[in-house]
Amino acid sequence: MIYLQLLWVFVKIGVLGFGGGYAMLSLIQHEVVDNYAWMTTTEFADMVAISQMTPGPISINMATYVGYTAGGFFGSLLASFALCLPSIVMVILIIKLFMNKKTGSFMGNLLKGLKPAIAGLIFAAGLSMMNSQNFVQIGKGENNISIVICVLAFVASYFFKANPILLIVLSGAIGFFVY
Amino acid sequence: MKIAWQLFSTFFKIGAFTLGGGYAMLSMVEKAVVDKKQWIAADEFWDLIAIVQSLPGVFAVNTALYVGHKIAGRKGAAAAMLGAIIPSIIIILLLATIFKEYRELPVVERIFKGIRPCVVALILAPSLRMIKSAKLTWKTVIIPIATVALIWWCKVSPAIVILAAIGGSTIYAILMERKLKRTENKEVKP
């Protein structure tokens, strides 16, 4: 049963995941945390951090991690494969049927139209993670460090395009020394 | 068979050593496939990427499939795709197993207490940069706002929101195409 659920969830994400790994965050979060409760919101945040810090495609990293948590070794293989399945089908279709520049420009326009919505989707995933589980004990003096870390990391990432892995390592170091 | 094996090992190396996800892998793929091995000409490669980029799914996997297929057909596609994802699967399986074991340790918990708010920032920042780069007008700025409101506030399933957005974007893409045709016709007539 769990295998069927994993297959269904990640095929769906593979079909609807326009715009790269980050765009899939909202979809994965909705299924994994809200729908099936395979992970808590803190586990989800930790999973995103680990997926970001390891080499390879972030979405494959996330699928493997979720699959492992929900269904062990076979779950992880199944989830990654399920995520790739729509791509495989699409490649076959496009190569056989209509791979040319014209459809390419149409798809490009489609993606351009999708971009604002994708950005909103990613932003919503971030907002949903801003909760008391991930931001420890907001409102009690010293513990507002969570907010400080978040603001600093945001500024460093948005304005200075700082390396995300470096930011994760630094935040981890702050956590180690402060808590 | 030899070329399929070479494709596998090329993508395996890229998958195992490139940090920063699919887009970071792209320049490594270009270096390997266009510069070093000279399997594909540069312009052909970028034409391919332009199409791949607009498709849903895992960008690195799509790239591997197309490049692999271009070079060595079905076998090549399979070899390149497996090469791109197997390192991820191995590394994450190892890490997830270790992390499951040591997650409860106070030291690990302290480190991750620091990391979690950073992850939130690392998600919010690129989404805002994306909104900025989309050059929204006063009319279109409602799209990201509505998306956030629907998902975060009304708890609508993101899948439904994406489907609606795809519907809207398809209309947009058709209109853009008509506009293009009209301007082309105008140029031809006089």
Side-chain angles (χ1 to χ4, degrees), chain A residues 6 8 17-18 21 59 61 81 84 88 95 106 167 169 174 179:
Chain A
L6 277 171
W8 165 236
F18 280 91
S59 50
N61 293 344
F81 176 71
C84 296
I88 298 171
I95 288 169
F106 182 82
L167 291 178
V169 170
I174 295 176
Y179 293 113

Side-chain angles (χ1 to χ4, degrees), chain A residues 2-3 6 63-79, chain B residues 93 97 100:
Chain A
I2 191 88
Y3 295 130
L6 277 171
T64 307
Y65 204 116
V66 170
Y68 177 77
T69 312
F73 177 72
F74 286 106
S76 74
L77 294 187
L78 189 75
Chain B
L93 270 176
T97 316
K100 204 172 147 195

Side-chain angles (χ1 to χ4, degrees), chain B residues 7-70:
Chain B
L7 271 165
F8 176 81
S9 71
T10 301
F11 276 91
F12 189 92
K13 271 180 226 154
I14 295 169
F17 295 113
T18 318
L19 292 163
Y23 286 92
M25 289 167 84
L26 182 60
S27 67
M28 305 296 290
V29 173
E30 193 211 1
K31 243 181 238 163
V33 173
V34 178
D35 299 342
K36 223 175 124 203
K37 306 266 182 188
Q38 301 195 327
W39 279 326
I40 299 184
D43 54 339
E44 208 176 352
F45 179 78
W46 289 111
D47 281 352
L48 211 72
I49 294 302
I51 295 171
V52 171
Q53 236 164 356
S54 60
L55 297 174
V58 188
F59 177 57
V61 168
N62 291 342
T63 308
L65 282 168
Y66 278 94
V67 171
H69 188 274
K70 188 100 202 158

Side-chain angles (χ1 to χ4, degrees), chain A residues 45-46 49-50 53 149 167-173 175 179, chain B residues 110-120:
Chain A
D46 298 349
I50 291 173
M53 291 178 72
I149 292 175
L167 291 178
I168 292 177
V169 170
L170 286 177
S171 313
Y179 293 113
Chain B
R110 264 154 62 201
I111 292 171
F112 274 86
K113 262 186 191 165
I115 287 177
R116 282 167 207 145
C118 173
V119 169
V120 172

Side-chain angles (χ1 to χ4, degrees), chain A residues 15 17 22 30 46 53-56 61 65 87 95 99 107 113-115 119-121 123 146 150 157-158 171 176 179, chain B residues 16 18-19 48 54 56-57 62 69 88 95 99 103 110 114 116-118 121-122 127 129 131-133 148 151 169:
Chain A
V15 172
Y22 263 51
H30 180 78
D46 298 349
M53 291 178 72
T54 40
N61 293 344
Y65 204 116
S87 296
I95 288 169
M99 186 168 160
M107 287 301 286
L114 268 180
K115 213 173 167 190
L121 217 66
F123 193 83
S146 284
C150 186
S157 173
Y158 186 83
S171 313
F176 176 78
Y179 293 113
Chain B
T18 318
L19 292 163
L48 211 72
S54 60
N62 291 342
H69 188 274
S88 275
L95 283 177
F99 193 58
R103 196 168 190 264
R110 264 154 62 201
R116 282 167 207 145
C118 173
L122 288 176
S127 71
R129 232 185 287 136
I131 290 174
K132 208 177 148 199
S133 78
V148 172
I151 294 173
S169 309

Side-chain angles (χ1 to χ4, degrees), chain A residues 24-37:
Chain A
M24 296 179 188
L25 270 177
S26 221
L27 289 162
I28 299 179
Q29 187 183 40
H30 180 78
E31 301 287 359
V32 168
V33 180
D34 303 340
N35 255 4
Y36 292 100

